Structure formats: structure tokens, C-alpha cells
């Protein structure tokens, strides 16, 4: 038997109720169903099915999917038209098409984007920064050395010789340091100082290892 309601404090409203009803209302307005009861039953049944699928899906990201994402976003004729900053819905669609789990994308974006509770339109996201955040979910990437090795792969951000310009590396590494909480400001400053002392403007994985050891 249900407990009778005597005061407003007894009412427990789920945190995501507003978001669910808002999305539902938009679909009703967009599709204008003739029978709203049948439409509502199908809508919430499909929503429940998607939730079950997301709970059971793997959140692992493969290197191949990231290589595909880089190729797609670098192509001026691709879905992103070669833009550095991409509308959130568009980049999410590209990720899903490439087999990157939606939950992995959502987790990466939660690291990159500040909360915007008063805005229906989230800001565009740098696809390169999204790739960096997704690297943390690639199987086998357990520390900064693994990240840099992945980063300098010729099919990722490295050139044919597996090197990258110092400027590009510093930008990508700064983004990574916001993901990897084990990187302190002191260790990052020491690494960058060691990199600045290198004679070449380009950086290889061996150069990184030397600079990283020097900064420890």
C-alpha cells in the first residue's frame, strides 16, 4: 500500500525528469503525432531500450576509431569541413558513426565542456582536444608515456617519421594534463623547459623520453 502524501517534502522528483520531459515535448512538437498515447508509449519504450543498451555497452575506445576521427576531421570535404571547432551534435554523430561508444564521448565531453545549465546550445568543441580526451579511454594507455607514444603515431598526430612540432606537442600535452590528474604543474613546467633546450623544432618519442626523465 502506498504511503499517503501529507506534505511537499514527501515528493521526491528525479533529477533528470526535466530533461526527459523537455526532450519528449520537443519530439511531440516536431513529429505532431495523430495518436499521442501510442506515440508516447513507443517513445518511452525506445528510450528505455537505449538506456539498457548504453548500460551494457563497452566504453573502450580503439586506436583505429581515433585514427578515423582524425582523418574525418582533417578532411576539408568531410563532415566537419576541416573546421578546428565543431558543433557538438555534428562531432558526436561522427564519433558514433566511427564506432566510438556514446558513453565514451559523453565522458570525454564532460571533461572538456563547462556546465551550461542556462543554455540549450552548448559551445563548439575542438576536435583535437576531444581526441586527446578520448585517448584516456584507449585500452593500454595507462600513463603519460603511453599517451605520448599514441600521440606520435604517424596515423595520429605524428608525421611519417613519428615526430611532431614542439608547438603542437605542447598544445596537445596541455590538454592531456587536464585529463591526467597525475601531471602536476611543476612536472609539466620541468618537461617543457627540457623540451625548449632541444636543438630541433620537432620532437620524437625518444626526445620526449629524454626530456621527461630530465624533468623527474
Amino acid at each position: 500500500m502506498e504511503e499517503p502524501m501529507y506534505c511537499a517534502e514527501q515528493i521526491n522528483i528525479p533529477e533528470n525528469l526535466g530533461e526527459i520531459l523537455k526532450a519528449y515535448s520537443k519530439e511531440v512538437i516536431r513529429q505532431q503525432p495523430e495518436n499521442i498515447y501510442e506515440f508516447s508509449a513507443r517513445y518511452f519504450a525506445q528510450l528505455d531500450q537505449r538506456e539498457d543498451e548504453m548500460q551494457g555497452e563497452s566504453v573502450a575506445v580503439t586506436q583505429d576509431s581515433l585514427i578515423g576521427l582524425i582523418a574525418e576531421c582533417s578532411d576539408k570535404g568531410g563532415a566537419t569541413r576541416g573546421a578546428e571547432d565543431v558543433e557538438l551534435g555534428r562531432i558526436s554523430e561522427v564519433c558514433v558513426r566511427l564506432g566510438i561508444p556514446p558513453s565514451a564521448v559523453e565522458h570525454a565531453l564532460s571533461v572538456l565542456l563547462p556546465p551550461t545549465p542556462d543554455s540549450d546550445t552548448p559551445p563548439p568543441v575542438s576536435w583535437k582536444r576531444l581526441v586527446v580526451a578520448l585517448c584516456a579511454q584507449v585500452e593500454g594507455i595507462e600513463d603519460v608515456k603511453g599517451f605520448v607514444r599514441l600521440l606520435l603515431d604517424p596515423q595520429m598526430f605524428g608525421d611519417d617519421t613519428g615526430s611532431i612540432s614542439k608547438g603542437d606537442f605542447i598544445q596537445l600535452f596541455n590538454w592531456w594534463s587536464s585529463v591526467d590528474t597525475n601531471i602536476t604543474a611543476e612536472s609539466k613546467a620541468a618537461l617543457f623547459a627540457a623540451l625548449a633546450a632541444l636543438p630541433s623544432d620537432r620532437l620524437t618519442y625518444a626526445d620526449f623520453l629524454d626530456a621527461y626523465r630530465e624533468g623527474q
Side-chain angles (χ1 to χ4, degrees):
M1 182 176 180
E2 294 185 359
E3 180 182 354
M5 293 288 184
Y6 296 106
C7 61
E9 286 74 14
Q10 290 180 275
I11 302 174
N12 182 22
I13 300 176
E15 292 183 1
N16 60 343
L17 178 61
E19 296 178 8
I20 293 173
L21 293 180
K22 185 176 182 179
Y24 163 73
S25 299
K26 285 182 177 180
E27 283 301 301
V28 170
I29 294 171
R30 185 175 69 87
Q31 297 194 32
Q32 295 290 310
E34 292 183 4
N35 188 321
I36 193 170
Y37 299 109
E38 291 182 0
F39 171 84
S40 301
R42 289 196 305 271
Y43 176 86
F44 286 108
Q46 291 171 358
L47 187 67
D48 183 59
Q49 181 179 357
R50 285 200 300 269
E51 181 69 19
D52 290 342
E53 290 173 351
M54 288 184 65
Q55 289 179 358
E57 75 175 4
S58 170
V59 296
V61 178
T62 66
Q63 182 176 348
D64 286 345
S65 65
L66 292 186
I67 290 172
L69 180 58
I70 291 172
E72 178 79 24
C73 293
S74 301
D75 184 1
K76 292 184 178 180
T80 65
R81 300 294 188 268
E84 174 69 27
D85 296 321
V86 185
E87 186 267 327
L88 185 59
R90 183 179 295 274
I91 193 67
S92 297
E93 289 174 4
V94 173
C95 288
V96 171
R97 176 160 50 81
L98 292 170
I100 300 174
S103 52
V105 177
E106 183 178 348
H107 176 72
L109 291 173
S110 70
V111 177
L112 304 182
L113 298 177
T116 53
D118 299 326
S119 174
D120 290 334
T121 307
V125 61
S126 163
W127 67 263
K128 291 182 179 178
R129 194 170 184 181
L130 176 60
V131 169
V132 168
L134 287 169
C135 284
Q137 301 180 64
V138 174
E139 187 175 359
I141 305 302
E142 299 176 351
D143 57 17
V144 64
K145 295 178 184 177
F147 163 69
V148 174
R149 188 185 300 109
L150 176 64
L151 187 76
L152 297 184
D153 186 290
Q155 291 182 290
M156 294 283 286
F157 293 107
D159 63 11
D160 291 341
T161 65
S163 70
I164 190 173
S165 73
K166 286 183 183 177
D168 287 344
F169 176 81
I170 288 173
Q171 181 184 55
L172 295 170
F173 194 90
N174 271 324
W175 289 336
W176 175 259
S177 66
S178 68
V179 176
D180 187 346
T181 56
N182 293 318
I183 299 175
T184 64
E186 293 76 12
S187 64
K188 186 168 68 172
L191 172 64
F192 289 172
L195 292 177
L198 295 175
S200 174
D201 289 333
R202 297 196 67 80
L203 175 75
T204 65
Y205 183 64
D207 294 329
F208 162 75
L209 287 179
D210 290 341
Y212 182 74
R213 295 188 189 102
E214 184 178 332
Q216 295 303 297

